[in-house]
Amino acid sequence: MNLHKLLAMLLVGALFLTSCSDDDDSMPVNDEELITTMLVTLVDGADTVTLRFYDEDGADGPTEPVSEIVGTLKTSTTYNGSISILNESEDPAENVNEEIEGEADEHQFFYLTNDFGITIEYTDQECDYNEDPCEGSNTLPVGITFTLTTTDATGKGELRVVLRHELDKDAQGVADGDITNAGGSPDIDWTFDIDVE
């Protein structure tokens, strides 16, 4: 066999074996963050209402999550809302919002009520976190900031907060907060029992 042909065959074989190696560290791994805490803060001038969800071992652990609400919503009031997602198993606590903001095109919060007189509107967009200027598809909401408005009705109700990952943000209704066609997978999903007085 010709020496050139032999060397060419050896080179091709070596390249083939190298390309099939599963030890390739060049591909970044995007591990999902552990979420232990969700803090929803609602501010109306002088008053603040906080809704806190805590699950010390995350969604897959054996410990049951707990939640608490400090403050009561008032009727006929608009609150400026914001949400913080944390991993408090780290010291200091890791701010998971940074990852959500960095991947704003793949995340969206949904605020779902059982029709008891609360409306919620997004006040942020993808480009608020990682793209400028705001144009085209990057004007879609993320939901880290929002407004919550109550009517003159009093009573008890539910506020379900869902963070979806790798959803279809262009699907019908999604930009308006309708989760029906969103798809994706939930990073967090919790329902708070709230009072309006």
Side-chain angles (χ1 to χ4, degrees):
M1 180 182 284
N2 173 320
L3 181 60
H4 288 8
K5 285 185 179 179
L6 179 61
L7 289 175
M9 288 173 51
L10 289 174
L11 181 60
V12 169
L15 287 173
F16 178 75
L17 289 174
T18 302
S19 68
C20 293
S21 170
D22 60 1
D23 295 331
D24 184 3
D25 295 327
S26 65
M27 294 298 291
V29 177
N30 188 9
D31 293 328
E32 286 190 26
E33 297 288 342
L34 175 66
I35 294 174
T36 63
T37 310
M38 173 174 60
L39 184 65
V40 180
T41 304
L42 304 169
V43 179
D44 158 42
D47 296 325
T48 300
V49 177
T50 57
L51 294 74
R52 184 176 186 266
F53 160 89
Y54 180 69
D55 187 355
E56 71 177 38
D57 52 11
D60 297 328
T63 306
E64 289 295 314
V66 295
S67 67
E68 66 175 343
I69 298 173
V70 177
T72 303
L73 296 176
K74 298 180 293 190
T75 59
S76 304
T77 304
T78 297
Y79 294 87
N80 291 315
S82 62
I83 190 162
S84 295
I85 304 295
L86 304 170
N87 174 6
E88 292 188 302
S89 70
E90 302 284 335
D91 187 17
E94 180 182 6
N95 184 348
V96 182
N97 274 38
E98 292 174 3
E99 179 179 337
I100 296 167
E101 292 166 3
E103 298 176 356
D105 60 328
E106 298 179 4
H107 290 88
Q108 186 170 329
F109 287 95
F110 293 88
Y111 301 93
L112 312 170
T113 66
N114 58 341
D115 295 325
F116 72 109
I118 286 181
T119 57
I120 295 172
E121 293 185 14
Y122 296 117
T123 58
D124 66 351
Q125 300 171 331
E126 292 174 23
C127 59
D128 292 334
Y129 304 107
N130 60 11
E131 294 181 31
D132 198 21
C134 266
E135 57 187 32
S137 64
N138 64 1
T139 60
L140 297 172
V142 181
I144 294 172
T145 62
F146 58 95
T147 59
L148 182 149
T149 303
T150 60
T151 65
D152 59 0
T154 61
K156 298 182 179 297
E158 295 179 346
L159 175 61
R160 180 180 168 206
V161 182
V162 183
L163 172 59
R164 284 281 176 96
H165 181 218
E166 295 184 345
L167 69 160
D168 182 358
K169 295 184 82 164
D170 291 313
Q172 182 179 359
V174 172
D176 297 320
D178 184 350
I179 199 170
T180 308
N181 300 314
S185 58
D187 284 343
I188 193 165
D189 187 338
W190 187 257
T191 301
F192 294 96
D193 295 319
I194 59 176
D195 295 322
V196 180
E197 296 180 355

